[in-house]
Amino acid sequence: MMRNVFVLCQIYFLSVSLCDTQNMTLNFEGGRSMVNENYQVESVSKAFDLLMAVARYPHSGVTDLAKKTDLTKSRAFRLLHTMEQRQVVIRDKENGYRLGNSMLVLGITASSQIDLVKLANPILEELCQRVNETVQLRILDGNEALCIAKCEPSRDLRVHAVVGRRRPLYAGSPKALLAFQPRETIERCVPAKPEKFTSNSLGTRGAILAELSKIQQQRYCLSRGEVSDQLVSIAAPVFAMDGSAIAALNVAAPAFRTHDSELEHIIRLVTSSAERLSVGLGWQKGRI
């Protein structure tokens, strides 16, 4: 539900009047109200900022939330109290706030309108055009990475991707997804004796864990022939609003035409595309 909070907030503030409408100028022509398109209701905007802060920083108290939204503590409390009455937020025993049941109801509706693939497809297509290589989007599914979307170039010799294909998380480009999972997930997904798919596969658990640490630092994964001797892939994580890594975006290309001089350019395109998708899901740069 977190990735849909932006839409949920819009729905809520369109349907519930949290603000007064002082100084609002309406002109009626032919039975229709004419409102300046640039007009914004300041109190709705502030309440929206506050609700987004609750979504991003659950269990924060009114003082912290007021600071994050540049509100006075008293005004933040009044807005939070109003939203609490509508079950948009809930106050816990420690006087922190989190999203309430009304947001859950809206989230169920919004989830059918917004999904990861719909957001990702235009970005995948643009990236594919720019690198002229195959682009894939993978998500975490148990102990594996699952391809849920792809875009392939029109050239004859290309990497063929298959939606629905699974890969182990500890080998090749899926490491970009595994590296940003909780420690317990990493421990579970990296076997004591990892399978070697090629001579380039990382053959020990220690080597894989060290590579995951490197990926965390550089924010991308470069894989050379780990799953197939003939392939090079570059992948970057995609983050949700709460900072969790929910997917990985990767470019896969034949090794013979992927030279070192081109890798830096591809890495920049992949990481920037993954960042754009993350922002579309509500992630804020600098959160992770």
Side-chain angles (χ1 to χ4, degrees):
M1 183 182 73
M2 293 294 291
R3 71 176 190 238
N4 296 322
V5 167
F6 184 82
V7 173
L8 306 187
C9 295
Q10 287 182 314
I11 295 171
Y12 178 74
F13 287 118
L14 285 172
S15 60
V16 180
S17 295
L18 291 179
C19 63
D20 62 51
T21 55
Q22 288 182 342
N23 302 320
M24 185 172 182
T25 303
L26 299 178
N27 297 316
F28 291 91
E29 295 183 3
R32 294 187 303 168
S33 62
M34 308 298 292
V35 184
N36 186 335
E37 291 183 358
N38 294 323
Y39 183 84
Q40 291 189 26
V41 181
E42 191 264 349
S43 54
V44 170
S45 179
K46 290 297 184 182
F48 181 87
D49 291 342
L50 192 59
L51 185 55
M52 293 294 286
V54 172
R56 292 188 175 110
Y57 308 100
H59 307 293
S60 294
V62 63
T63 301
D64 287 340
L65 291 170
K67 289 180 180 178
K68 293 181 186 300
T69 52
D70 294 323
L71 291 169
T72 64
K73 184 176 179 179
S74 60
R75 189 176 186 189
F77 178 79
R78 290 196 300 271
L79 290 171
L80 287 167
H81 180 72
T82 302
M83 289 189 281
E84 187 179 4
Q85 298 304 305
R86 292 298 195 117
Q87 295 186 321
V88 174
V89 300
I90 294 175
R91 183 166 47 170
D92 59 31
K93 294 180 180 179
E94 288 74 34
N95 287 322
Y97 290 87
R98 61 179 177 82
L99 296 181
N101 294 335
S102 292
M103 299 303 288
L104 177 61
V105 172
L106 292 175
I108 294 171
T109 302
S111 65
S112 64
Q113 302 174 21
I114 297 179
D115 61 37
L116 179 58
V117 173
K118 287 181 181 178
L119 287 171
N121 274 334
I123 296 175
L124 265 65
E125 291 172 2
E126 179 183 332
L127 180 59
C128 180
Q129 290 176 0
R130 296 187 69 178
V131 299
N132 203 20
E133 300 290 359
T134 298
V135 180
Q136 298 177 75
L137 183 69
R138 292 190 175 107
I139 61 169
L140 185 72
D141 189 34
N143 293 346
E144 298 175 307
L146 173 67
C147 178
I148 61 170
K150 67 168 185 173
C151 187
E152 297 182 8
S154 58
R155 65 205 309 178
D156 292 335
L157 184 57
R158 64 186 185 272
V159 175
H160 292 279
V162 179
V163 172
R165 176 178 289 167
R166 300 172 184 274
R167 296 291 193 194
L169 286 162
Y170 62 85
S173 59
K175 295 197 299 296
L177 179 56
L178 180 60
F180 295 90
Q181 299 306 311
R183 173 53 56 179
E184 56 270 22
T185 302
I186 294 175
E187 293 292 335
R188 184 183 73 246
C189 292
V190 180
K193 295 181 178 180
E195 179 182 355
K196 283 181 67 71
F197 300 94
T198 71
S199 60
N200 294 318
S201 299
L202 299 177
T204 67
R205 178 182 172 87
I208 294 172
L209 294 176
E211 181 68 11
L212 293 177
S213 296
K214 179 181 177 182
I215 293 168
Q216 289 174 353
Q217 295 297 317
Q218 63 188 18
R219 304 296 290 272
Y220 67 86
C221 171
L222 171 60
S223 173
R224 297 176 184 265
E226 289 184 54
V227 178
S228 172
D229 287 312
Q230 308 303 318
L231 297 184
V232 172
S233 62
I234 301 99
V238 174
F239 299 103
M241 176 181 285
D242 62 356
S244 61
I246 62 168
L249 186 66
N250 85 281
V251 167
F256 76 89
R257 67 172 178 233
T258 309
H259 305 293
D260 290 344
S261 59
E262 299 171 328
L263 283 177
E264 287 300 321
H265 177 63
I266 297 175
I267 288 169
R268 285 194 297 270
L269 291 176
V270 170
T271 54
S272 63
S273 297
E275 184 175 298
R276 283 173 54 203
L277 181 52
S278 299
V279 170
L281 293 168
W283 173 78
Q284 287 186 315
K285 189 173 182 179
R287 181 173 175 83
I288 292 295

